[in-house]
């Protein structure tokens, strides 16, 4: 898997996070975690990610959350906090 490759070079971990969300949503247009947050306000993870919800849970640990700027990490964590899943996110951050 590309996300596991040690030589993976990206301009930011936010791009990795966005790519995971886009793939799990089967989105054909570029969108980021902000769009996911808006959609989750109107829906549920089950409806938004459908059969790829488990894939989302499997892929998120590959995001190197410690490399995401703190202010962005706080915003992203609010998404999980709001849905009661902050523990899952915090387990991914060493």
């Amino acid at each position: 898997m590309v996300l596991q490759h040690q030589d993976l070079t990206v301009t930011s971990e936010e791009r990795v996070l966005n790519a995971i969300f886009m793939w799990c949503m089967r989105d054909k247009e570029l969108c980021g975690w902000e769009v996911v947050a808006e959609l989750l306000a109107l829906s549920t993870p089950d409806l938004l990610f459908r059969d790829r919800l488990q894939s989302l849970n499997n892929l998120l640990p590959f995001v190197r959350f410690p490399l995401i700027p703190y202010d962005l990490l706080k915003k992203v964590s609010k998404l999980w906090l709001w849905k009661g899943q902050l523990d899952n996110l915090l387990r991914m951050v060493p």
Side-chain angles (χ1 to χ4, degrees):
M1 179 186 314
V2 173
L3 290 176
Q4 291 176 308
H5 201 278
Q6 290 180 335
D7 295 332
L8 175 66
T9 303
V10 294
T11 54
S12 75
E13 285 300 306
E14 182 180 3
R15 288 184 178 254
V16 175
L17 183 64
N18 289 341
I20 290 171
F21 281 135
M22 283 177 35
W23 184 81
C24 289
M25 288 176 24
R26 291 188 165 98
D27 203 347
K28 292 174 179 53
E29 294 187 31
L30 291 178
C31 70
W33 63 267
E34 298 100 337
V35 173
V36 174
E38 290 173 13
L39 292 171
L40 280 173
L42 304 171
S43 185
T44 66
D46 291 339
L47 293 175
L48 189 59
F49 300 111
R50 296 188 179 137
D51 61 324
R52 291 192 178 177
L53 181 58
Q54 186 57 50
S55 295
L56 176 68
N57 292 327
N58 293 339
L59 292 171
L60 283 177
F62 294 108
V63 177
R64 296 174 290 188
F65 285 100
L67 299 179
I68 294 179
Y70 182 72
D71 60 327
L72 177 59
L73 189 59
K74 281 178 32 178
K75 290 177 186 175
V76 172
S77 70
K78 285 181 184 178
L79 172 63
W80 271 264
L81 179 63
W82 186 71
K83 287 297 181 184
Q85 297 179 14
L86 182 59
D87 289 341
N88 292 337
L89 177 61
L90 292 177
R91 274 188 250 133
M92 295 175 211
V93 179

